[in-house]
Amino acid sequence: MIVMQDLLFSGVKPTGTLHLGNYIGALKKWTEIQHLYQCYFCIVDLHAITVPQDPAQLRKDTLDIAATYLAVGLDPKRCTLFIQSEVPEHAELAWILGCVAKMGEMERMTQFKDKSQKGGRERSGLGLFSYPALMAADILLYDTTIVPVGDDQTQHIELTRLLAKRFNDKFGSTFTLPEILLQKHGARIMSLTDPAKKMSKSDESKSGVIMLDDEADTIHHKISRAVTDSGSGVVYDLEKKPAVANLMTIYHHMTGKTMKEIETLYAGKGYGDFKTGLAEVVIEHLAPITKKLKEYREHPQELQNILDHGRDAAHHAAREKMKLVRDRVGLGRG
Ligand code: TYM
């Protein structure tokens, strides 16, 4: 249950334009609840460098996430929008939490297993391995109570709670244990071309992923080629019709219609009609976001000002928390 004094923290890696999965699973929810709570939305560039990045591109992508935050409707007067690496306490606390975490716990993280698969474990970066300690630091620095994310982050939030509890038990009450906040439908949007795989920035098949700045024609094309299930009815059945359920989930988020209402709307119609309708509602929903994204991209100074302000506010809170953490652990001269 969310209560008034709740504090929200979430973040996105600046590794390219965001897609509809990021939007539905995370950012859309943020915009809906931003006015109710104190919110920190971070651009996690230190997490981005756990895999190789081109420096110039990373800077560009970092600013582009700021533009996206504003384009989807996050209000910088209400929320603290900032870049992770500009608040050095994140890296400092990550080190301390890395000393609290156990190798076995980190080894069980499925994200590390997935991401290290390609190049092999031996050749994977140490940063990729300790990624969850940095994520825990992000969350715990601000006494976060709620973390709105997609369900691929569930294991990381569980580890964050575990590390916070272990630290509190050993050093005295210091950190708040956060709760995850998942979308009821849409915590995991699947690829349009392979409904068994989540929609992902790293998906090699670009046709399965709708980017937030895709042109209308591209969206039409991608949705018209989306995989569907056998049979023909537009019915929400996650077990038997996972592909259609995924498309219906997208429809639900674009329009606010319930699954039942979507079923009624398309009763007696085939997948073709449904996909045409879906493309229309996605285009309509994304059009103002895409337009604003282009505008913000053209006004980098405005983004810089917002990020300066966010950095100062986040730094102030993080500095206070780290004084306590250092004191608890016995670091420095006190
Ligand atoms: P990232 O950048 O991979 O993804 C950003 C957000 O999008 C969600 N998401 C999805 N939701 C539904 N369906 C999908 N197909 C889909 N793909 C991605 C993710 O769950 C996420 O909420 N580790 C995080 C960033 C992070 C963070 C944090 C988040 C770093 N520190 C502290 C919360 C709190 C990540 O890699 O997100």
Side-chain angles (χ1 to χ4, degrees), residues 9-15 18-27 30 44 47 84 111 115 131 134-135 138-139 147-153 156-157 186-190 198-201:
F9 185 101
S10 203
V12 163
K13 284 195 299 287
T15 48
L18 298 190
H19 55 68
L20 202 58
N22 299 127
Y23 176 64
I24 293 176
L27 278 77
W30 305 355
V44 293
H47 278 111
Q84 186 187 36
Q111 180 177 291
K115 294 210 167 171
Y131 181 116
L134 178 58
M135 184 157 160
D138 298 341
I139 296 168
V147 189
V149 280
D151 86 345
D152 57 345
Q153 301 301 317
H156 289 153
I157 311 299
R188 181 175 292 245
I189 296 294
M190 310 310 277
K198 73 166 184 167
M199 191 177 277
S200 161
K201 288 180 207 166

Side-chain angles (χ1 to χ4, degrees), residues 63-270:
L63 214 56
D64 208 52
I65 297 295
T68 310
Y69 279 0
L70 297 174
V72 299
L74 292 180
D75 178 356
K77 293 199 185 74
R78 296 273 331 170
C79 319
T80 302
L81 309 179
F82 73 106
I83 301 172
Q84 186 187 36
S85 65
E86 294 188 349
V87 179
E89 284 78 2
H90 287 247
E92 185 184 357
L93 183 57
W95 177 261
I96 294 171
L97 293 174
C99 298
V100 172
K102 312 281 180 214
M103 290 289 285
E105 288 158 355
M106 294 297 207
E107 266 163 359
R108 282 192 285 280
M109 294 290 118
T110 52
Q111 180 177 291
F112 176 72
K113 287 187 202 159
D114 292 347
K115 294 210 167 171
S116 59
Q117 215 170 34
K118 214 169 167 190
R121 192 187 140 81
E122 288 293 310
R123 299 182 57 209
S124 293
L126 190 56
L128 189 63
F129 186 72
S130 59
Y131 181 116
L134 178 58
M135 184 157 160
D138 298 341
I139 296 168
L140 299 178
L141 261 182
Y142 300 95
D143 288 325
T144 304
T145 53
I146 305 277
V147 189
V149 280
D151 86 345
D152 57 345
Q153 301 301 317
T154 305
Q155 206 185 20
H156 289 153
I157 311 299
E158 279 163 8
L159 182 74
T160 300
R161 289 172 60 86
L162 185 85
L163 297 181
K165 183 167 185 319
R166 185 175 300 147
F167 187 102
N168 288 348
D169 288 348
K170 185 166 165 51
F171 298 108
S173 178
T174 308
F175 296 123
T176 304
L177 268 58
E179 303 280 345
I180 190 168
L181 180 66
L182 295 174
Q183 292 278 25
K184 181 164 172 254
H185 296 290
R188 181 175 292 245
I189 296 294
M190 310 310 277
S191 159
L192 300 182
T193 49
D194 181 356
K197 278 193 350 208
K198 73 166 184 167
M199 191 177 277
S200 161
K201 288 180 207 166
S202 54
D203 196 338
E204 269 147 36
S205 147
K206 295 288 168 244
S207 45
V209 185
I210 294 179
M211 309 307 293
L212 291 189
D213 62 355
D214 272 349
E215 299 290 341
D217 284 355
T218 311
I219 296 175
H220 250 299
H221 185 70
K222 287 179 179 174
I223 293 182
S224 69
R225 298 190 52 190
V227 168
T228 46
D229 306 288
S230 53
S232 60
V234 179
V235 177
Y236 187 81
D237 185 334
L238 206 49
E239 292 284 299
K240 295 195 188 120
K241 289 185 171 228
V244 173
N246 186 45
L247 299 181
M248 288 179 76
T249 301
I250 296 175
Y251 198 106
H252 159 70
H253 278 283
M254 297 296 101
T255 60
K257 286 191 176 13
T258 63
M259 298 306 175
K260 274 273 159 270
E261 286 168 341
I262 302 168
E263 286 176 0
T264 309
L265 194 62
Y266 286 96
K269 294 185 183 151

Side-chain angles (χ1 to χ4, degrees), residues 43 59-60 62-67 70 76 81-83 86 296-312:
I43 304 167
R59 284 243 162 82
K60 198 163 165 280
T62 298
L63 214 56
D64 208 52
I65 297 295
L70 297 174
L81 309 179
F82 73 106
I83 301 172
E86 294 188 349
Y296 282 115
R297 279 173 175 163
E298 283 160 16
H299 295 94
Q301 192 51 51
E302 193 179 337
L303 300 176
Q304 300 284 7
N305 295 343
I306 289 167
L307 292 172
D308 282 350
H309 181 78
R311 174 203 56 214
D312 293 346

